[in-house]
Protein backbone atom coordinates (compact mmCIF):
# COMPACT_ATOMS: atom_id res chain seq x y z
CA UNK A 1 0.00 0.00 0.00
CA UNK A 2 1.52 3.28 -1.05
CA UNK A 3 1.88 5.91 1.64
CA UNK A 4 2.84 9.56 1.59
CA UNK A 5 6.08 10.52 3.22
CA UNK A 6 5.64 12.30 6.55
CA UNK A 7 8.35 14.17 8.42
CA UNK A 8 9.27 13.18 11.99
CA UNK A 9 7.96 15.21 14.91
CA UNK A 10 10.47 14.19 17.58
CA UNK A 11 12.74 16.97 18.73
CA UNK A 12 14.92 17.39 21.80
CA UNK A 13 13.74 20.92 22.55
CA UNK A 14 10.52 22.89 22.65
CA UNK A 15 10.17 24.87 19.44
CA UNK A 16 7.84 27.46 17.93
CA UNK A 17 4.74 25.31 18.50
CA UNK A 18 5.19 25.86 22.24
CA UNK A 19 5.04 22.18 23.16
CA UNK A 20 5.52 21.33 26.82
CA UNK A 21 8.54 19.15 27.57
CA UNK A 22 10.67 17.90 30.42
CA UNK A 23 14.24 16.65 30.36
CA UNK A 24 15.90 14.11 32.61
CA UNK A 25 19.63 13.96 33.27
CA UNK A 26 20.18 11.62 30.31
CA UNK A 27 18.69 14.07 27.84
CA UNK A 28 15.34 12.32 27.38
CA UNK A 29 12.47 14.60 26.48
CA UNK A 30 8.84 13.58 26.78
CA UNK A 31 6.78 15.74 24.47
CA UNK A 32 3.27 16.55 25.61
CA UNK A 33 2.39 18.59 22.53
CA UNK A 34 3.46 18.04 18.95
CA UNK A 35 6.40 20.07 17.71
CA UNK A 36 4.58 21.07 14.51
CA UNK A 37 1.12 22.46 13.72
CA UNK A 38 -1.50 19.69 14.08
CA UNK A 39 -2.84 18.11 10.92
CA UNK A 40 -4.09 14.83 9.50
CA UNK A 41 -0.57 13.43 9.28
CA UNK A 42 0.50 14.14 12.87
CA UNK A 43 0.76 11.13 15.23
CA UNK A 44 -1.64 11.22 18.18
CA UNK A 45 -1.20 10.24 21.81
CA UNK A 46 1.88 10.65 24.04
CA UNK A 47 5.04 11.07 21.99
CA UNK A 48 8.60 10.49 23.14
CA UNK A 49 11.83 11.71 21.66
CA UNK A 50 14.32 9.26 20.20
CA UNK A 51 17.18 10.50 22.37
CA UNK A 52 18.34 9.23 25.78
CA UNK A 53 16.99 6.22 27.67
CA UNK A 54 13.94 4.21 26.67
CA UNK A 55 13.83 2.41 30.01
CA UNK A 56 10.63 3.28 31.89
CA UNK A 57 12.09 2.54 35.34
CA UNK A 58 15.16 4.72 34.73
CA UNK A 59 12.96 7.54 33.51
CA UNK A 60 10.67 7.34 36.54
CA UNK A 61 13.60 7.15 38.99
CA UNK A 62 15.05 10.41 37.71
CA UNK A 63 14.02 13.33 39.93
CA UNK A 64 12.06 10.91 42.12
CA UNK A 65 11.67 13.57 44.79
CA UNK A 66 9.87 15.99 42.51
CA UNK A 67 6.20 15.12 43.07
CA UNK A 68 4.78 17.31 40.33
CA UNK A 69 7.32 16.00 37.82
CA UNK A 70 6.54 12.40 38.74
CA UNK A 71 2.80 13.01 38.26
CA UNK A 72 3.52 14.53 34.88
CA UNK A 73 5.65 11.56 33.82
CA UNK A 74 2.99 9.13 35.05
CA UNK A 75 0.34 10.92 33.04
CA UNK A 76 2.36 10.66 29.83
CA UNK A 77 3.59 7.10 30.38
CA UNK A 78 0.10 5.81 31.16
CA UNK A 79 -0.08 2.15 32.17
CA UNK A 80 3.71 1.77 31.93
CA UNK A 81 4.13 4.08 34.92
CA UNK A 82 2.12 1.55 36.97
CA UNK A 83 4.38 -1.32 35.92
CA UNK A 84 2.52 -2.50 32.82
CA UNK A 85 5.34 -3.27 30.40
CA UNK A 86 3.34 -5.70 28.29
CA UNK A 87 4.16 -9.41 28.17
CA UNK A 88 7.72 -9.41 29.48
CA UNK A 89 8.02 -13.16 28.82
CA UNK A 90 7.84 -12.36 25.10
CA UNK A 91 11.20 -11.01 23.86
CA UNK A 92 9.60 -8.94 21.09
CA UNK A 93 9.40 -5.19 21.63
CA UNK A 94 6.80 -4.66 18.89
CA UNK A 95 3.86 -6.87 17.96
CA UNK A 96 1.61 -5.74 15.10
CA UNK A 97 -1.73 -7.34 15.98
CA UNK A 98 -3.77 -6.02 13.06
CA UNK A 99 -3.25 -4.30 9.71
CA UNK A 100 -6.57 -3.01 8.35
CA UNK A 101 -7.28 -1.28 5.03
CA UNK A 102 -10.55 0.69 5.07
CA UNK A 103 -12.43 2.04 2.05
CA UNK A 104 -14.61 5.14 1.66
CA UNK A 105 -17.60 3.21 0.30
CA UNK A 106 -19.37 -0.09 0.89
CA UNK A 107 -16.32 -2.23 0.15
CA UNK A 108 -15.49 -4.51 3.12
CA UNK A 109 -12.27 -3.81 5.02
CA UNK A 110 -9.17 -5.86 4.28
CA UNK A 111 -8.02 -7.22 7.64
CA UNK A 112 -4.75 -9.04 8.35
CA UNK A 113 -3.27 -10.31 11.63
CA UNK A 114 0.54 -10.38 11.24
CA UNK A 115 1.05 -11.51 14.85
CA UNK A 116 -0.10 -15.06 14.08
CA UNK A 117 1.52 -17.55 11.67
CA UNK A 118 -1.86 -18.14 9.99
CA UNK A 119 -2.46 -14.41 9.60
CA UNK A 120 0.97 -13.82 8.13
CA UNK A 121 0.55 -16.75 5.76
CA UNK A 122 -2.78 -15.35 4.56
CA UNK A 123 -1.18 -11.99 3.84
CA UNK A 124 1.76 -13.55 1.97
CA UNK A 125 -0.42 -15.87 -0.11
CA UNK A 126 -3.57 -13.84 -0.79
CA UNK A 127 -2.18 -10.32 -0.47
CA UNK A 128 -4.25 -7.24 -1.21
CA UNK A 129 -6.45 -6.33 -4.14
CA UNK A 130 -7.45 -2.67 -4.38
CA UNK A 131 -9.72 -1.15 -7.01
CA UNK A 132 -8.11 1.65 -9.01
CA UNK A 133 -9.10 5.18 -7.96
CA UNK A 134 -10.78 4.02 -4.76
CA UNK A 135 -10.39 6.10 -1.59
CA UNK A 136 -8.79 4.25 1.29
CA UNK A 137 -6.89 4.59 4.55
CA UNK A 138 -5.23 2.11 6.86
CA UNK A 139 -5.23 1.39 10.58
CA UNK A 140 -2.42 -0.37 12.41
CA UNK A 141 -2.95 -1.89 15.86
CA UNK A 142 0.23 -2.82 17.71
CA UNK A 143 1.60 -3.63 21.14
CA UNK A 144 4.80 -2.24 22.62
CA UNK A 145 6.62 -4.30 25.24
CA UNK A 146 9.50 -3.93 27.71
CA UNK A 147 10.44 -0.27 27.07
CA UNK A 148 9.56 2.88 25.16
CA UNK A 149 9.71 2.28 21.42
CA UNK A 150 11.16 5.43 19.88
CA UNK A 151 10.68 6.77 16.37
CA UNK A 152 8.74 3.86 14.87
CA UNK A 153 8.49 4.11 11.07
CA UNK A 154 6.41 2.19 8.56
CA UNK A 155 8.48 1.58 5.41
CA UNK A 156 6.91 0.34 2.20
CA UNK A 157 8.55 -0.68 -1.09
CA UNK A 158 6.43 -1.59 -4.10
CA UNK A 159 7.81 -3.23 -7.25
CA UNK A 160 6.30 -3.91 -10.66
CA UNK A 161 8.64 -5.10 -13.40
CA UNK A 162 11.25 -2.31 -13.69
CA UNK A 163 9.28 0.12 -11.50
CA UNK A 164 10.10 0.57 -7.80
CA UNK A 165 8.55 3.00 -5.34
CA UNK A 166 9.61 3.48 -1.70
CA UNK A 167 7.87 5.46 1.04
CA UNK A 168 8.28 6.02 4.77
CA UNK A 169 5.63 7.05 7.29
CA UNK A 170 6.45 8.15 10.83
CA UNK A 171 4.14 6.34 13.25
CA UNK A 172 5.67 7.81 16.41
CA UNK A 173 7.11 6.80 19.77
CA UNK A 174 5.05 4.87 22.29
CA UNK A 175 5.32 3.48 25.85
CA UNK A 176 4.93 -0.23 26.63
CA UNK A 177 1.53 -1.49 27.74
CA UNK A 178 -0.67 -4.58 27.44
CA UNK A 179 -3.43 -2.81 25.50
CA UNK A 180 -2.66 -2.19 21.82
CA UNK A 181 -1.89 1.25 20.44
CA UNK A 182 -3.81 2.27 17.32
CA UNK A 183 -2.45 4.38 14.46
CA UNK A 184 -4.69 5.50 11.60
CA UNK A 185 -3.49 7.20 8.44
CA UNK A 186 -4.67 9.59 7.16
CA UNK A 187 -6.62 10.52 10.27
CA UNK A 188 -9.11 13.00 8.81
CA UNK A 189 -9.06 12.30 5.08
CA UNK A 190 -8.57 9.54 2.52
CA UNK A 191 -5.87 8.52 0.06
CA UNK A 192 -6.70 7.63 -3.53
CA UNK A 193 -5.40 4.49 -5.17
CA UNK A 194 -3.64 5.06 -8.52
CA UNK A 195 -5.76 4.62 -11.61
CA UNK A 196 -5.25 4.12 -15.32
CA UNK A 197 -3.83 1.38 -17.50
CA UNK A 198 -0.28 2.29 -16.53
CA UNK A 199 -0.92 1.53 -12.84
CA UNK A 200 -3.19 -1.50 -13.08
CA UNK A 201 -1.64 -4.90 -12.57
CA UNK A 202 0.29 -7.02 -10.10
CA UNK A 203 2.94 -5.68 -7.74
CA UNK A 204 5.19 -7.11 -5.05
CA UNK A 205 5.02 -5.08 -1.86
CA UNK A 206 7.33 -5.19 1.16
CA UNK A 207 6.50 -3.62 4.53
CA UNK A 208 8.93 -2.97 7.39
CA UNK A 209 8.53 -1.51 10.88
CA UNK A 210 11.80 0.17 11.89
CA UNK A 211 12.66 2.20 15.01
CA UNK A 212 14.95 5.23 15.41
CA UNK A 213 17.96 2.97 16.07
CA UNK A 214 17.48 1.28 12.72
CA UNK A 215 16.19 -1.98 14.26
CA UNK A 216 13.70 -3.80 12.02
CA UNK A 217 11.00 -5.25 14.29
CA UNK A 218 8.85 -6.78 11.55
CA UNK A 219 9.26 -7.30 7.80
CA UNK A 220 7.06 -9.17 5.35
CA UNK A 221 6.29 -9.35 1.63
CA UNK A 222 2.94 -9.84 -0.14
CA UNK A 223 1.31 -9.56 -3.57
CA UNK A 224 -0.58 -6.33 -4.30
CA UNK A 225 -2.99 -5.92 -7.22
CA UNK A 226 -4.50 -2.71 -8.58
CA UNK A 227 -7.68 -3.89 -10.31
CA UNK A 228 -9.99 -2.18 -12.79
Amino acid sequence: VRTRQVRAFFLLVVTRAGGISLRDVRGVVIVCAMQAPPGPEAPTGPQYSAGGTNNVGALLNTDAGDESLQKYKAQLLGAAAQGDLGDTSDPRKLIVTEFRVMFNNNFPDLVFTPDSPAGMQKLKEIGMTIKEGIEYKFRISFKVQHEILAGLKFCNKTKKMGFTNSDELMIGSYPPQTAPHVFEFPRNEWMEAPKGMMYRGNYTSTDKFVDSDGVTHLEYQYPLKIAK
Side-chain angles (χ1 to χ4, degrees):
V1 178
R2 187 180 187 277
T3 62
R4 291 179 293 172
Q5 187 172 4
V6 180
R7 59 198 174 96
F9 293 101
F10 309 101
L11 306 179
L12 290 178
V13 294
V14 178
T15 59
R16 60 183 180 279
I20 302 170
S21 68
L22 62 91
R23 184 188 306 270
D24 75 0
V25 293
R26 297 168 183 81
V28 169
V29 174
I30 303 177
V31 181
C32 182
M34 300 312 300
Q35 305 302 327
E41 297 167 341
T44 57
Q47 303 294 322
Y48 306 82
S49 80
T53 182
N54 293 332
N55 185 279
V56 173
L59 186 59
L60 289 173
N61 288 334
T62 303
D63 300 315
D66 190 326
E67 184 177 353
S68 62
L69 193 57
Q70 290 301 310
K71 288 182 178 179
Y72 182 60
K73 292 180 186 179
Q75 181 182 2
L76 293 179
L77 289 169
Q82 305 303 317
D84 183 0
L85 303 181
D87 182 1
T88 54
S89 66
D90 187 329
R92 293 174 294 178
K93 292 183 180 179
L94 173 71
I95 302 175
V96 178
T97 58
E98 182 182 273
F99 190 101
R100 179 181 294 264
V101 184
M102 302 173 290
F103 301 100
N104 191 19
N105 54 24
N106 294 325
F107 276 66
D109 294 353
L110 298 177
V111 183
F112 300 94
T113 53
D115 62 325
S116 69
M120 183 62 77
Q121 192 66 24
K122 175 186 173 182
L123 178 58
K124 290 180 177 180
E125 291 182 355
I126 300 176
M128 301 183 189
T129 298
I130 298 178
K131 181 178 173 60
E132 64 174 350
I134 199 170
E135 291 185 324
Y136 71 98
K137 65 173 64 180
F138 63 83
R139 179 184 297 158
I140 302 170
S141 301
F142 59 95
K143 293 181 179 181
V144 175
Q145 303 184 143
H146 301 286
E147 62 182 18
I148 296 168
L149 186 60
L152 181 64
K153 294 187 297 183
F154 172 75
C155 306
N156 171 261
K157 179 181 290 186
T158 304
K159 296 181 179 181
K160 179 186 179 184
M161 298 174 65
F163 168 82
T164 301
N165 183 74
S166 299
D167 285 291
E168 290 186 357
L169 172 66
M170 177 59 71
I171 295 177
S173 300
Y174 295 84
Q177 62 181 41
T178 300
H181 299 283
V182 178
F183 177 84
E184 186 173 298
F185 181 82
R187 197 165 69 242
N188 299 316
E189 56 185 28
W190 299 86
M191 296 182 288
E192 184 178 277
K195 55 186 175 181
M197 183 174 64
M198 177 181 176
Y199 296 102
R200 291 195 295 267
N202 299 310
Y203 297 78
T204 298
S205 192
T206 303
D207 293 344
K208 290 198 304 183
F209 292 84
V210 184
D211 66 22
S212 61
D213 293 324
V215 176
T216 298
H217 294 273
L218 179 64
E219 181 176 4
Y220 51 86
Q221 188 177 89
Y222 57 94
L224 170 65
K225 181 178 181 179
I226 305 297
K228 187 172 182 179

